[in-house]
Amino acid sequence: MLDINRTSTQKDDYMLDIEESPGVYMLHLVLDQLRSLKIGRHGKYNFSPGEYLYVGSALGPGGLRARLGRHLRGSENRRWHIDWLRPVTTVKGYFYTATSENLECSWNQFLSSLPGASIPVPGFGASDCRNKPSPCAAHLVWFGSGVDINLIRGNLPSGGGSQVVYQKFTTLFQPDDDNIE
């Protein structure tokens, strides 16, 4: 578990086992109470308590290690939609697979097809979605009564023969409510 009181160098220690290669990832987040949040230029939305899965790709410099590290540590520079939601959630774990294939939409479509899945904010995390013939409704999926991690891990496409990894935290990252609207 990341101790949020550590120095920034120590915060990076937990990321050493994540590959720097390109890939796709999914944050497994928990929100324990109703929150009304402004999501960039998207506007203000109510987020219900439950489990959220956010799917993203890490195909640029630094790959999986850089992108997951940024999301797990948080950032004052809010660049992506997830940057507004992440600080008020608890990180339960994350999935990833190393691949140069963009599997972001495939992962998201699988999640969206699961029983109990719901899209909490249309377009969340999917403003650059180019999925043809129909773009994804969002890259954030909500499950009010929980998700089956083994079902998800066993059915996500991995691309290029790489396996899908799920990293569960034994002690959860806790929300940081400082400066959150």
Side-chain angles (χ1 to χ4, degrees):
M1 148 64 196
L2 171 66
D3 177 351
I4 59 174
N5 296 317
R6 289 177 169 182
T7 66
S8 68
T9 303
Q10 291 171 316
K11 285 182 180 180
D12 293 338
D13 291 347
Y14 70 95
M15 295 303 298
L16 295 176
D17 291 337
I18 298 174
E19 301 177 44
E20 290 184 18
S21 62
V24 64
Y25 63 91
M26 181 187 324
L27 296 176
H28 182 191
L29 309 169
V30 176
L31 185 63
D32 62 357
Q33 64 182 342
L34 179 68
R35 294 299 297 253
S36 181
L37 298 172
K38 181 179 181 278
I39 306 297
R41 289 179 270 175
H42 239 313
K44 201 164 197 169
Y45 290 89
N46 289 325
F47 290 84
S48 298
E51 296 187 42
Y52 289 82
L53 293 169
Y54 171 77
V55 181
S57 60
L59 302 176
L64 290 163
R65 177 184 246 176
R67 185 63 53 86
L68 279 166
R70 182 187 192 283
H71 290 322
L72 295 175
R73 281 188 310 272
S75 174
E76 303 249 342
N77 177 18
R78 294 184 181 161
R79 179 176 178 181
W80 294 288
H81 294 149
I82 193 65
D83 294 337
W84 278 266
L85 176 61
R86 169 52 198 99
V88 300
T89 61
T90 299
V91 178
K92 198 167 184 179
Y94 57 88
F95 292 88
Y96 73 91
T97 190
T99 181
S100 57
E101 291 179 49
N102 191 345
L103 299 173
E104 188 175 358
C105 293
S106 298
W107 280 27
N108 183 71
Q109 289 173 350
F110 169 71
L111 290 178
S112 298
S113 73
L114 293 174
S118 178
I119 301 297
V121 177
F124 190 106
S127 52
D128 63 347
C129 181
R130 306 280 185 266
N131 195 41
K132 303 291 182 195
S134 61
C136 298
H139 284 183
L140 179 71
V141 180
W142 173 74
F143 295 87
S145 55
V147 296
D148 181 343
I149 295 305
N150 291 322
L151 172 70
I152 293 171
R153 183 175 37 209
N155 288 285
L156 290 174
S158 61
S162 180
Q163 70 175 0
V164 174
V165 174
Y166 180 68
Q167 172 63 54
K168 179 179 179 184
F169 296 114
T170 54
T171 305
L172 305 178
F173 284 81
Q174 299 299 314
D176 176 8
D177 288 336
D178 294 343
N179 303 316
I180 300 298
E181 292 185 31

